[in-house]
Amino acid sequence: MKRNIAVFASGRGSNFIALAKEAQRGRLKGANLALLVCDNPNAPVISAANKLKIKTLLVNPAVFPNKKAFEDAILRHLKENKIGLIVLAGFMRILSARFVKLYKNRIMNIHPSLLPAFKGAHAIKDAFGYGIKITGVTVHFVDDKMDHGPIILQREVAVLESETVDSLEEKIHKVEHNIYPEAVNLFIKGRLKVKGRKVLITTH
Ligand code: GRF
């Protein structure tokens, strides 16, 4: 049986699109990208999902009395859609410890730096401004701290002397669009074993 995936996104959605295209090309074998969860009514990712004919749940936090009610609405839909893996792709919200516990080691995030360096929402700019010579991309499981859980995959990106923040951003996104489907595939094949902070990648 195929494992249903939900992608959570708040903005542009280039990682969502990359994952959806991989799925449509049949390169996420054993997975079904069943749902986009979006918390921002103005996010371009919503029209991308429409074009790709992927079901969208728009949950605007402004219409809920508190975070628990907001998360409960999401959880209900995840259950209804039998979601087995949550993939955060530019989701600009911290999930509560309660939520993370319910999907322990079944929530992934992608971050545009080599964690633990440059956590937070402006990682590419921060790394560039720091004068870093090598940065990269991290895919990790989510725990209850921001940009912190066990690391699944990391890939480095060199910062050339001629680099601008825009060119670096472009390079990093390209790497993201390859590494995220790769991590999802490893998960679907049951090849990720979490031992404390370490994620072991098994051979089959
Ligand atoms: C990506 O750089 C990702 O690493 C970060 O948020 C950005 C989302 O970009 N968590 P997009 O919306 O997928 O284009």
Side-chain angles (χ1 to χ4, degrees):
M1 209 177 73
K2 286 198 172 188
R3 191 183 284 263
N4 285 345
I5 298 177
V7 176
F8 287 25
S10 307
R12 190 171 66 141
S14 70
N15 281 284
F16 165 76
I17 295 167
L19 285 161
K21 292 206 163 144
E22 284 293 287
Q24 290 182 348
R25 288 183 194 121
R27 291 202 206 126
L28 292 184
K29 280 206 172 56
N32 173 31
L33 210 175
L35 186 66
L36 168 74
V37 175
C38 180
D39 62 334
N40 171 11
N42 303 314
V45 70
I46 295 175
S47 55
N50 286 340
K51 268 194 213 134
L52 290 157
K53 299 196 171 27
I54 293 172
K55 198 195 308 184
T56 299
L57 168 69
L58 176 62
V59 269
N60 184 352
V63 307
F64 294 93
N66 52 43
K67 182 163 175 158
K68 181 170 185 305
F70 167 74
E71 288 191 343
D72 281 345
I74 299 177
L75 286 166
R76 217 173 27 252
H77 281 84
L78 297 181
K79 216 170 165 193
E80 257 170 45
N81 287 280
K82 299 189 171 53
I83 298 299
L85 172 67
I86 297 170
V87 177
L88 306 184
F91 188 63
M92 302 309 283
R93 232 158 257 286
I94 310 278
L95 296 168
S96 70
R98 174 187 72 115
F99 190 115
V100 170
K101 206 169 160 197
L102 286 169
Y103 281 85
K104 188 162 190 250
N105 296 336
R106 291 190 294 151
I107 310 177
M108 283 183 186
N109 183 42
I110 191 159
H111 185 76
S113 75
L114 293 176
L115 288 173
F118 304 107
K119 296 179 179 185
H122 310 288
I124 301 175
K125 236 186 227 151
D126 292 348
F128 185 79
Y130 197 84
I132 214 96
K133 303 218 180 215
I134 296 172
T135 182
V137 175
T138 303
V139 179
H140 63 95
F141 282 118
V142 170
D143 65 9
D144 54 2
K145 296 190 197 86
M146 188 182 66
D147 300 330
H148 177 265
I151 290 170
I152 301 167
L153 293 174
Q154 287 189 305
R155 201 131 302 153
E156 58 186 54
V157 172
V159 184
L160 307 177
E161 287 196 353
S162 58
E163 209 80 65
T164 64
V165 78
D166 289 341
S167 66
L168 181 60
E169 203 160 304
E170 203 173 303
K171 272 160 66 173
I172 285 187
H173 287 313
K174 227 182 229 164
V175 171
E176 287 186 331
H177 301 161
N178 288 315
I179 199 175
Y180 222 2
E182 201 177 314
V184 168
N185 255 317
L186 288 170
F187 181 92
I188 298 162
K189 289 184 181 143
R191 291 182 54 196
L192 301 177
K193 299 273 172 277
V194 185
K195 288 228 158 93
R197 273 215 55 85
K198 291 202 199 302
V199 180
L200 309 177
I201 301 178
T202 62
T203 46
H204 54 269

